[in-house]
Amino acid sequence: MGTPHILLVDGNEAELLRMARGLEAEGFSVHTARTADEAEEQTRRVRPDLALVELHVPGTHGLHLARALRRLDASLVVVLTSAFELSGRQIERCDCGATAFVRKPQSPAEVAVALRNALEQANGPSSGTRWYAAANQVEAALA
């Protein structure tokens, strides 16, 4: 697959820059967006492999943005993130196209494990609901 292109979407500039630097150090090609409009523009321009979308994005809610990004690119892998816990069932009911959820705070190394897992699962055979598979892999890698 080569170097994965990741779109980070977060209205918190400090968090966005911290995560971007960390994921670049983990081997990702990182593009950033602070608003829903920027995220849609980056998706059209860059065609990322995966978008890590904060639920609280200036301009819209992260669930709405996930739907919009998937309409722009149906093959885009979307992972949601927030400091608030969401169950897989909650996200599933929103029908937003997300394949995983990563609860904040996480280090860039932990997020990198979750993103690689989400990409592998999206590009491999379907294994049903995978909402917490990424989080479980992070826990296993750190054990």
Side-chain angles (χ1 to χ4, degrees):
M1 174 183 188
T3 302
H5 290 265
I6 305 298
L7 174 61
L8 299 180
V9 185
D10 197 320
N12 179 327
E13 189 167 349
E15 176 65 14
L16 187 68
L17 294 175
R18 179 186 79 84
M19 192 58 65
R21 286 187 197 117
L23 290 175
E24 285 171 349
E26 292 289 330
F28 293 96
S29 175
V30 179
H31 309 274
T32 61
R34 291 171 185 82
T35 67
D37 289 341
E38 286 180 16
E40 289 181 26
E41 173 57 31
Q42 287 280 38
T43 299
R44 283 186 204 92
R45 190 174 59 77
V46 176
R47 307 297 288 187
D49 301 303
L50 183 144
L52 179 62
V53 177
E54 164 62 45
L55 286 179
H56 303 286
V57 179
T60 191
H61 190 281
L63 296 174
H64 299 294
L65 180 57
R67 281 188 208 103
L69 297 179
R70 296 270 302 155
R71 278 193 300 270
L72 290 172
D73 181 357
S75 68
L76 179 66
V77 177
V78 176
V79 174
L80 298 173
T81 186
S82 177
F84 300 99
E85 185 71 32
L86 289 180
S87 72
R89 188 176 180 112
Q90 287 172 307
I91 297 171
E92 204 171 76
R93 286 182 178 163
C94 293
D95 192 31
C96 64
T99 60
F101 178 81
V102 176
R103 186 167 184 209
K104 288 181 174 181
Q106 298 282 346
S107 73
E110 293 167 325
V111 172
V113 170
L115 299 184
R116 284 188 181 100
N117 186 52
L119 285 168
E120 280 180 24
Q121 288 185 6
N123 294 321
S126 177
S127 60
T129 304
R130 324 180 271 266
W131 303 109
Y132 286 92
N136 292 337
Q137 185 169 344
V138 168
E139 290 175 12
L142 297 175

